[in-house]
């Protein structure tokens, strides 16, 4: 049973709720009303979104690779459409690599995972399950963002990865098929009295983590992926509880269920502050470049329709 109370959950975009997606954005009101007052994303340090405003007014455009008609970007080729010049889209450099494992039933046009690939193309890779990498020999430097009874906080990542390395569990000569041993290596409560003391604020300790994995699916679809043997034994991370701004919220689920791009963004902010020990000055805000624009667009359209 997953621990839901203290964990921030990543949910996919193929869920119940408003049926709008990127393909119907062009049908929204082109005349935006005055900005609503409760926009929690308005403090972000974002690049100019004028290029998106222009694209919104001109409507759908062709993908330069597959020629499909899309709004803003092609969610299958992971590139902006012709009316959104690549040079006008910000690029974000991440402190580590990100793998996104996408459920095969997750609708491409409803997923925010593509935002990460568009905005951090050199550091993000998207895999469609069951086609995912073998993480066996690199598990001492990889973590999975997923809540559960064995999950740890971002600030304790270095401490737990250090334990993996010291025990030699993931050394090249080990037998990675010994799952009971791997699972035992994850949880040792008696050693967790003061994890921060073991981290010692050292940047070199914090950078043991080389890659972070996210699952892109609805909560009801995650079980098939999270139980895959290739993900067993990975250090699992839970995020600080934050509320989602996603407009396609899953019915009956807490507002701490984040969209994929929100989870990536909040993880990186926490990692930057708690592990790299550096002041956060908006370095990753542009990961929400598309998300914040769509949030405002859809929120305003709802206001115009009298739904809020």
């Amino acid at each position: 049973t997953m621990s839901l109370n203290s964990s921030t959950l990543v949910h996919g975009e193929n869920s119940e709720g408003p049926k709008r997606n990127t393909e119907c954005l062009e049908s929204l009101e082109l005349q935006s009303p005055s900005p609503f007052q409760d926009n929690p994303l308005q403090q972000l340090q974002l690049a100019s979104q004028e290029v998106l405003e222009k694209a919104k007014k001109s409507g759908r455009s062709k993908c330069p690779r597959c020629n499909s008609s899309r709004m803003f970007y092609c969610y299958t080729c992971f590139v902006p459409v012709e009316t959104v010049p690549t040079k006008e889209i910000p690029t974000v450099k991440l402190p580590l690599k990100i793998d996104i494992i996408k459920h095969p039933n997750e609708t491409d046009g409803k997923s925010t995972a593509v935002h990460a690939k568009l905005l951090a193309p050199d550091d993000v890779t998207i895999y469609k399950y069951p086609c995912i990498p073998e993480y066996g020999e690199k598990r001492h430097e990889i973590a999975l963002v997923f809540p559960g009874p064995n999950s740890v906080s971002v600030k304790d990542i270095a401490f737990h990865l250090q334990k993996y390395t010291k025990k030699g569990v993931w050394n090249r000569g080990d037998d990675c098929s010994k799952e009971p041993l791997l699972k035992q290596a994850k949880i040792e409560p008696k050693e967790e009295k003061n994890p921060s003391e073991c981290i010692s604020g050292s940047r070199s300790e914090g950078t043991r983590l080389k890659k972070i994995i996210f699952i892109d699916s609805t909560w009801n679809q995650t079980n098939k992926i999270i139980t895959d043997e290739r993900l067993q034994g990975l250090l699992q991370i839970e995020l600080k509880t934050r509320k989602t701004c996603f407009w396609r919220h899953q019915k009956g689920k807490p507002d701490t269920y984040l969209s994929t791009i929100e989870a990536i963004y909040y993880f990186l902010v926490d990692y930057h502050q708690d592990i790299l020990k550096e002041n956060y000055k908006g370095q990753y805000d542009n990961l929400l470049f598309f998300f914040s624009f769509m949030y405002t667009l859809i929120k305003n359209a709802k206001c115009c329709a009298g739904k809020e």
Side-chain angles (χ1 to χ4, degrees), residues 231-249:
L231 299 180
Q232 301 311 301
L234 286 174
L235 179 66
Q236 289 185 202
I237 308 299
E238 65 178 6
L239 305 179
K240 297 175 181 177
T241 301
R242 288 187 172 92
K243 293 183 179 180
T244 184
C245 292
F246 191 47
W247 49 90
R248 195 174 290 108
H249 184 63

Side-chain angles (χ1 to χ4, degrees), residues 62-68 74 76-80 82:
K62 287 185 178 181
C63 168
R65 293 187 183 175
C66 68
N67 290 322
S68 296
C74 180
T76 51
C77 299
F78 307 144
V79 295
E82 291 178 347

Side-chain angles (χ1 to χ4, degrees), residues 265-284:
Y265 169 74
Y266 286 125
F267 169 82
L268 290 170
V269 172
D270 289 346
Y271 180 83
H272 193 84
Q273 298 176 122
D274 296 337
I275 298 299
L276 299 185
K277 303 295 183 182
E278 296 179 9
N279 292 329
Y280 183 69
K281 299 179 180 179
Q283 290 91 334
Y284 314 121

Side-chain angles (χ1 to χ4, degrees), residues 183-236:
K183 291 178 180 179
Q184 289 174 10
K186 286 170 56 179
I187 299 302
E188 299 183 20
K190 63 181 181 180
E191 294 183 25
E192 297 178 4
K193 294 180 181 179
N194 290 299
S196 59
E197 293 179 4
C198 299
I199 297 175
S200 304
S202 169
R203 183 186 175 97
S204 62
E205 286 293 314
T207 53
R208 288 180 184 275
L209 184 65
K210 303 297 183 184
K211 179 176 290 185
I212 188 76
I213 303 169
F214 293 84
I215 295 176
D216 184 46
S217 75
T218 62
W219 177 246
N220 294 331
Q221 294 172 336
T222 57
N223 188 62
K224 182 176 182 179
I225 297 178
I226 196 63
T227 56
D228 188 286
E229 62 180 7
R230 290 167 291 184
L231 299 180
Q232 301 311 301
L234 286 174
L235 179 66
Q236 289 185 202

